[in-house]
Amino acid sequence: MLLAPSADDVRAIARVTGTGVLIFATVIAALALPALLLGEVNAAAAMMVGSAPAITFGVLARRLPVSTSRITWTRAIVTATTTWLACAVVAAVPLLLSGHFTGLDAAFFDAVSGLTNTGHSLVADLDHLPRSMVLLRSWMEIAGGAAFLLVGQSLLEARRALASSLAPRDATSEHVMPRTRKGLIRTGRTLAALGSLGALGVGTMLAVSGVPLAALPVTTISLVAAAATTGGFIPVSGAVGAYHSIGLEFVLMTLMLGGATSIGVLAAAATRRHDRIRHDLNFQMFVAMLVVTLTGTMIGLARAGTFETVIPIARHGVFSAVAAVTTTGLSTVSPAVFLSDFGILTPAALIIAMTVGGMLGSMSGGFSTLRMGLLAKGVLSDVKRVLQPEGAVPTVGWLRLGRREVLTDAHVRSAATTVMVFLISILTGATVLLWASGTVGLRGALLTATSAVGNVGLDVGVLAAGQPWYVTATFTVLMLLGRLQWLGLFAALGFVVAVFRGQ
Amino acid sequence: MASPERRDERPAQDASWKRPEEQPMWQHAIYGIGWVVAMAVAVTVVGLALAVLATLVL
């Protein structure tokens, strides 16, 4: 039986969504100031036009009376989805008004891409996009990354039911955010640490590589946000290889790895609890994925004969592998080269890495290394069951930051469901691309679809301004599906259905 | 599951270890950033070794 949400539920969701929108839009309004300082009057006006209604909505929504302030699972999941969608609508307005998008669908696509830390873009003439709009793109990545870290800590990891996508086995629990304040502090510290490291490292490397002083602040912010949040929006068309700086590439790689590391592992590293990290299943699988992807990429590049000497193979191979595993989507070469010159094995290794993604509880996309680890443990459990005497129940354990958990069927089922939905989504995206264009090959379609569902944003030239509307719509949904995960999106849809058909 | 006592246990052979709340904020940042940088260095070294190996073998 579908229960219709109460008026209090709707008000509570609107209130929390309003708070999120208010914070997001206030920063956009504040971006009007740098826009004016940079002499970009039209961009400043666009920021104000986009943010004013949102701020009004936020202020009004926060005044809504809510009889019970407890945050239930339904409220939390639906609020996460509505906040992401509402913020995307808010950001789409100034983007559209910049005149660099063919329509609202393209601007909304870019807003969703930024807020889901994907990095795909339908912007036209990126090199002449106002610098304040570049800052807006960075803000979308930072807001999306921070929100995902918060959601990760409150929903995904609540009550150690982290094996589930959104922990359905805990759905009977009413209170889901017992650690909001702690989560906020940890999120703030993580972003501040990565931001400081990035500002210093990236700024220095850019200055050394000859970027003009006037362009330095915006370029630095843009690259740091792109790498540390695993967002992947860069301020110029092409690739980060355009800066011709190995030092810059190393710093960006460091930031990408930081962005794809779970907040719990980062906290353990900050307090030197390395034994916890070493035995953490999430971390172990992340390392395994890095090694597998590096191996596949190096063998692939050596076999394809793309480069003649070791150094370019290592330079481009390591960066590509890290960008794929961390789902950042940055590249040192023009992404189209992945299809034309990197052979077969390298793109295949990258596709697998992008599907899995980084650690659960980090800013990266993919179905997460922890879920892959749980599936592997599930296989181990089944093998043990076959080998043990009949009737014996095998116990398979796994460690999460020093805490021992026992593998249950619910863990494996939940991980398998998430992986299945990911794979079906990738195939759906690839099919739509193949349907829409006769020139896109299977590799290109798979790479692009994986890149969207895994929130990677490695654009090999398949998605572009002026594409059919249904491609834009499909990939917008796929990016949301990747970030909010199947339960988040479907629960929100179910909520809407329940409003009309529930009892 | 680890008990609260286990959580604050001093690691063996590390006299300088402090409980998280005793550790200054700048130390948190340095250790955290240092760990991430160390991971990037390790990835680069492994990648370079694999590139050398792949070039020699193939």
Side-chain angles (χ1 to χ4, degrees), chain A residues 122-191:
Chain A
L122 297 180
V123 66
D125 194 16
L126 173 62
D127 294 320
H128 294 99
L129 190 69
R131 280 170 288 175
S132 52
M133 287 292 167
V134 174
L135 289 177
L136 171 62
R137 281 155 62 95
S138 300
W139 166 235
M140 292 192 300
E141 292 171 318
I142 295 166
F148 194 59
L149 281 181
L150 277 174
V151 168
Q153 289 170 88
S154 51
L155 287 178
L156 303 181
E157 296 190 72
R159 294 165 188 272
R160 289 182 228 123
L162 35 102
S164 325
S165 55
L166 280 170
R169 76 169 181 174
D170 244 21
T172 50
S173 168
E174 288 292 304
H175 302 275
V176 295
M177 292 196 182
R179 298 182 298 170
T180 310
R181 187 178 155 76
K182 189 181 172 190
L184 270 172
I185 293 169
R186 286 169 87 181
T187 302
R189 282 180 184 169
T190 303
L191 289 175

Side-chain angles (χ1 to χ4, degrees), chain A residues 398-421:
Chain A
W398 54 284
L399 281 167
R400 172 154 186 84
L401 291 171
R403 289 200 177 94
R404 188 167 176 78
E405 305 264 352
V406 176
L407 186 79
T408 64
D409 285 347
H411 285 136
V412 182
R413 178 190 52 75
S414 178
T417 311
T418 307
V419 173
M420 275 297 294
V421 173

Side-chain angles (χ1 to χ4, degrees), chain A residues 160 189 253-254 270 273, chain B residues 1 7 23 25 28 36 44:
Chain A
R160 289 182 228 123
R189 282 180 184 169
M253 215 169 65
T254 310
R273 285 166 165 155
Chain B
M1 188 196 307
R7 193 169 65 84
Q23 196 171 284
M25 193 49 65
H28 277 282
V36 175
T44 308

